[in-house]
Amino acid sequence: MTERIEIRLDLPDGRSTIVLVGRGVRSELADSIPQTAARVAVVTQENIDVAVDPGTPFETFYIGDGEQFKNLDTVGELCSAWSKWGLNRADCVVAVGGGMVTDVAGFAAAVYHRGIPVIHVPTTLLGQVDAAIGGKTGINIPEGKNLVGAYWQPNAVFCDTETLDTLSPAEWRCGLGEVAKYNWLGGRDLAELELEGRIAACVRIKAEVVASDEREAGRRALLNYGHTLAHAIEIVGSHDLKHGEAVGIGLVYAAELARQMGRIDAELVAEHRRIVEAYELPTQLPAELEPQDLLKAMGRDKKVLNTGLTFVLLGTDGLEIVRNVDPGLATVAMEALR
Ligand code: GLY
């Protein structure tokens, strides 16, 4: 069964983003290519074996695999190759791959000719429930991850679950961290759903949040629940935790911190542990990660807008952004995860 979700945004050109979720949905790609397009640039990686048919003459452009290729050089090379091929603003880009591909191709599409239509075909769980949805694009610079980017909404997103058949267990865990997060964003029944229904439910939650706050003036930041510590874990120290695993730890940490601050009770913290463990994600901080290093990294998080340590935390009114958190309490909460 195909699920269809529309993300209604107040875009200047009046369009919205259509997200299709289901097995084999990418076969409907041709119907979403703009009628003005005479050619389609498909952007992917060599190791991604997912064929698409845009129904319009197309050429495939490969980018490198790995965070070290998520940079301005790759965007520059992509734009030069597109230009030599004759791609113009009436044409279209189709990104086929995980978060790295949709981030890089999405950003290149945002800046090429000052903006060219883009369609995403995310091939990872993380991409389908988060990265490819909502129009955030970005690349890394030596000073930090995703520090250069743009909001550029895709015309359509095809969450084809057939592309997940060959996903490695590590890649699944990457996405499961995000799925777990949605539990506290209105997705309490997610665990009861089949894969397609679960992905569609996550997309619906994110669509509603993004439609209300595309540029993250406030509410969209709630989608980063569990991510402040997760991003710090990813930056600091040597370990082999994947993004989703770091988010699992970050969710339990956010609950512990909220309890230390008197915002929630122990039962809600226990619920966080139960949900994260149900997705077979870790809930303990690796011993080699030093609290001081994690604190420093959390202080540099992109959500910190000159407002001291900033977290998304639960309270009596649900999730909210809490600024100027006491570093002492933040450290004590970390000890509860040892
Ligand atoms: N991944 C969080 C967001 O798209 O806002």
Side-chain angles (χ1 to χ4, degrees), residues 25-290:
V25 289
R26 73 185 190 283
S27 64
E28 295 176 46
L29 172 64
D31 299 338
S32 291
I33 302 295
Q35 293 197 336
T36 53
R39 57 189 78 67
V40 169
V42 173
V43 179
T44 190
Q45 290 164 325
E46 294 277 5
N47 63 338
I48 294 171
D49 191 17
V50 174
V52 290
D53 178 8
T56 301
F58 73 98
E59 181 123 346
T60 304
F61 298 82
Y62 294 97
I63 62 170
D65 186 10
E67 280 289 307
Q68 72 273 26
F69 294 104
K70 193 179 171 184
N71 57 24
L72 282 167
D73 286 348
T74 301
V75 172
E77 285 159 18
L78 212 41
C79 291
S80 290
W82 289 347
S83 187
K84 283 179 192 137
W85 185 51
L87 194 73
N88 67 53
R89 215 153 43 84
D91 294 326
C92 185
V93 171
V94 173
V96 182
M100 158 153 181
V101 176
T102 54
D103 269 14
V104 169
F107 180 60
V111 294
Y112 183 75
H113 287 215
R114 299 194 184 86
I116 167 170
V118 66
I119 292 172
H120 294 319
V121 183
T123 59
T124 61
L125 181 62
L126 179 68
Q128 297 193 359
V129 298
D130 185 37
I133 311 291
K136 272 190 187 174
T137 71
I139 49 112
N140 306 332
I141 55 175
E143 291 70 22
K145 286 172 74 166
N146 295 324
L147 289 190
V148 174
Y151 290 95
W152 192 244
Q153 296 298 338
N155 286 27
V157 183
F158 291 86
C159 298
D160 188 337
T161 51
E162 200 175 85
T163 68
L164 306 180
D165 285 350
T166 52
L167 213 59
S168 69
E171 287 286 354
W172 270 107
R173 282 198 296 281
C174 269
L176 287 176
E178 303 300 332
V179 177
K181 165 192 89 177
Y182 285 115
N183 188 73
W184 295 280
L185 283 150
R188 288 199 171 270
D189 57 351
L190 283 177
E192 292 151 29
L193 302 173
E194 295 293 318
L195 181 64
E196 278 80 13
R198 196 184 284 186
I199 292 171
C202 293
V203 171
R204 264 193 206 96
I205 295 171
K206 182 159 184 181
E208 191 272 316
V209 174
V210 170
S212 69
D213 179 25
E214 187 206 12
R215 301 284 163 132
E216 202 165 302
R219 195 164 166 245
R220 183 167 180 163
L222 303 183
L223 293 171
N224 287 294
Y225 189 41
H227 282 61
T228 312
L229 181 64
H231 288 153
I233 292 172
E234 289 179 282
I235 293 167
V236 170
S238 54
H239 55 77
D240 53 9
L241 288 172
K242 295 280 171 205
H243 176 72
E245 295 168 323
V247 172
I249 298 169
L251 288 167
V252 176
Y253 173 72
E256 282 289 357
L257 180 57
R259 187 173 69 93
Q260 293 292 338
M261 296 172 74
R263 301 173 59 86
I264 63 171
D265 61 19
E267 169 47 31
L268 211 36
V269 181
E271 181 194 75
H272 280 69
R273 287 187 197 277
R274 268 199 313 275
I275 301 280
V276 171
E277 280 165 4
Y279 286 110
E280 294 180 21
L281 297 171
T283 57
Q284 301 285 110
L285 260 178
E288 62 270 27
L289 294 180
E290 292 294 337

Side-chain angles (χ1 to χ4, degrees), residues 225-229 249-266 268-270 272-273 295 298 308-315 320-337:
Y225 189 41
H227 282 61
T228 312
L229 181 64
I249 298 169
L251 288 167
V252 176
Y253 173 72
E256 282 289 357
L257 180 57
R259 187 173 69 93
Q260 293 292 338
M261 296 172 74
R263 301 173 59 86
I264 63 171
D265 61 19
L268 211 36
V269 181
H272 280 69
R273 287 187 197 277
L295 268 189
M298 290 196 292
L309 272 179
T310 302
F311 293 90
V312 177
L313 296 177
L314 273 175
E320 53 194 357
I321 298 157
V322 181
R323 307 183 203 285
N324 290 310
V325 170
D326 175 0
L329 280 184
T331 309
V332 172
M334 263 182 235
E335 293 313 322
L337 272 74

